[in-house]
Amino acid sequence: MSLADNPDPENLTNADKPAVVDVDGVGNVYVVSAKVRENGWLWLKQWDGQTFKLPPHRVNAVQRIRKERYGVADNSGMKAQRIADEDLRRQAREMTAETADADGAGEAVVGDD
């Protein structure tokens, strides 16, 4: 598995767009990445690495989570990125640990259209 397959809240990629998504009928879902596609559907990547798409009518709101750079710069001069809020980082770590313990048996958000 690559870094992209196994999200780390202490070492996010530039492509990661952390967010809390208010999904109709489900409530708030905290994801490592949420991106709107050209067709209007929302593409989500959960902390266990699974990806899903939701139709626009299932999404009530998307709230972006701020990232920050920290630590020592690597060979390219860039510092690692992480979730800026310590509580949200902790929550994400717990979510990744739970999915690792559950052997991928966690519930997922699934689009119905």
Side-chain angles (χ1 to χ4, degrees):
M1 278 191 154
S2 70
L3 176 63
D5 294 332
N6 199 11
D8 178 357
E10 297 280 348
N11 192 17
L12 298 171
T13 68
N14 285 333
D16 293 330
K17 309 268 187 246
V20 174
V21 180
D22 181 2
V23 180
D24 190 34
V26 176
N28 288 338
V29 179
Y30 179 31
V31 296
V32 69
S33 199
K35 300 174 189 170
V36 178
R37 295 296 180 207
E38 288 181 14
N39 62 5
W41 284 52
L42 187 67
W43 178 89
L44 303 173
K45 182 176 185 178
Q46 295 184 317
W47 287 102
D48 64 0
Q50 293 185 53
T51 61
F52 300 93
K53 294 178 196 161
L54 291 174
H57 68 272
R58 295 271 325 268
V59 179
N60 294 325
V62 177
Q63 179 182 354
R64 295 286 179 203
I65 304 296
R66 193 170 65 84
K67 297 188 293 185
E68 67 182 1
R69 293 210 178 261
Y70 74 104
V72 178
D74 62 14
N75 292 339
S76 66
M78 298 300 292
K79 294 181 178 181
Q81 293 184 87
R82 67 181 178 188
I83 302 291
D85 183 279
E86 187 176 338
D87 290 335
L88 288 173
R89 269 197 320 271
R90 179 187 43 76
Q91 183 179 353
R93 280 192 303 270
E94 289 171 1
M95 293 170 82
T96 58
E98 286 172 12
T99 56
D101 292 343
D103 294 326
E107 284 190 39
V109 176
V110 180
D112 61 357
D113 289 345

